[in-house]
Structure formats: C-alpha cells, structure tokens
Amino acid sequence: MLRRLRKDDILYIKSIDRLGRNYTEILEQWRLLTKEKGVDIVVLDMPLLDTRRGKDLMGTFLSDIVLQLLSFVAENERLNIRQRQAEGIAAARARGVRFGRPPAPLPESFDPAYRRWKAGRITGTAAAKECGMPLSTFRYRAERYESPDPA
C-alpha cells in the first residue's frame, strides 16, 4: 500500500494503532506518510486526527500532540494485552492445560520398528519409512516413546 500512495491521496484508517506496533513505529509511519509522501490521513475513531483540515501551524501542533498521546496509549494498551495474555497462559499451564494440537496416534508398526531400530537391526531411515513418517518425526516420537513423562 505504501508504494501505491501518492501526494494528496487520502488514507483512511480505523484506529491509530493500525499504523504500527509501538509508539515509535506509529510516529515514524505518520511522519513518512504526511511529510515525505504528502498523504492526508483520516483516523476514523479519532476525528481530531484528520490532516485534511488544520494545515496551519496551530492545527499541525494540535495534531502532533494528539498523535503522540494516542500513540503512547496504543503502545501501552498493547503491552497490557500481552502481559494479560502471558498471565493467562501461565495460569492455564499451572492448571495443567496443554496447548497445541494433540499428537497423532502412533502407527501400529511403530513399536516393532522402534524395537528393531533400538536393537541396531535397522536404520532410523528404514524404521521411519516403515512407520510412514519423516526421519525427524520418527526420532522425535522415539524420544517421547522412551520417556514415561508425558509433559
């Protein structure tokens, strides 16, 4: 999108945090779009941030202040969300919740192939082929098969 925008185009965005992931990134994108590319920006959920009007010194000053304040608030909210998410994940793990897709069941041929591989009668590649899985998966599943700990 940045490559397609030209001078005097108008960019409509729902919220200021759509311009970047953090305070610095939002301010940099704003500067790049308004100063370097000459694009007008309209932030739909914040009518004060509309660069089409107030192009005089006072309007620019007010827009810059509001932009910096909202960029700070957006980054702060993003950090709070990440912290709450991490806390929720830690609490779930403490309760024993397991994340991710459950492992596929081992094929019936796994145990005999695993025993022959462990005894050195066949190679890991041959055992993996017999089980219908890549060698890396066979090795991973063999390691998990050996340890009684399910975690």
Side-chain angles (χ1 to χ4, degrees):
M1 177 190 72
L2 287 174
R3 281 182 267 143
R4 289 185 168 264
L5 286 171
R6 301 285 178 250
K7 184 172 175 32
D8 297 326
D9 281 350
I10 301 173
L11 175 63
Y12 291 90
I13 56 173
K14 181 177 179 352
S15 178
I16 193 68
D17 63 350
R18 305 313 304 150
L19 283 180
R21 298 182 191 278
N22 58 44
Y23 178 78
T24 308
E25 207 173 282
I26 292 170
L27 293 179
E28 178 58 27
Q29 285 297 322
W30 186 275
R31 187 196 59 73
L32 174 93
L33 290 166
T34 58
K35 306 286 190 271
E36 290 184 23
K37 289 198 166 263
V39 172
D40 280 319
I41 301 175
V42 177
V43 181
L44 298 174
D45 70 352
M46 182 52 60
L48 281 174
L49 290 177
D50 183 346
T51 61
R52 295 175 300 178
R53 52 183 118 100
K55 292 192 183 244
D56 61 342
L57 186 59
M58 182 58 95
T60 303
F61 174 71
L62 289 174
S63 281
D64 286 348
I65 288 174
V66 171
L67 172 66
Q68 288 191 17
L69 178 65
L70 291 177
S71 298
F72 170 78
V73 169
E75 180 174 1
N76 203 32
E77 181 60 23
R78 190 178 300 267
L79 291 173
N80 287 339
I81 289 169
R82 291 189 73 176
Q83 181 180 355
R84 288 191 300 266
Q85 180 184 28
E87 289 168 358
I89 290 170
R93 283 198 173 127
R95 289 191 315 268
V97 174
R98 294 191 50 149
F99 292 92
R101 183 171 64 175
L106 290 172
E108 290 182 22
S109 59
F110 185 84
D111 187 62
Y114 169 78
R115 292 182 189 283
R116 289 198 320 271
W117 170 71
K118 205 62 174 160
R121 295 196 306 258
I122 62 172
T123 66
T125 304
K129 192 171 194 174
E130 201 173 297
C131 295
M133 59 179 65
L135 177 59
S136 60
T137 303
F138 177 78
R139 286 183 178 152
Y140 173 76
R141 298 301 293 266
E143 186 180 308
R144 306 293 289 171
Y145 193 68
E146 293 167 358
S147 75
D149 181 30

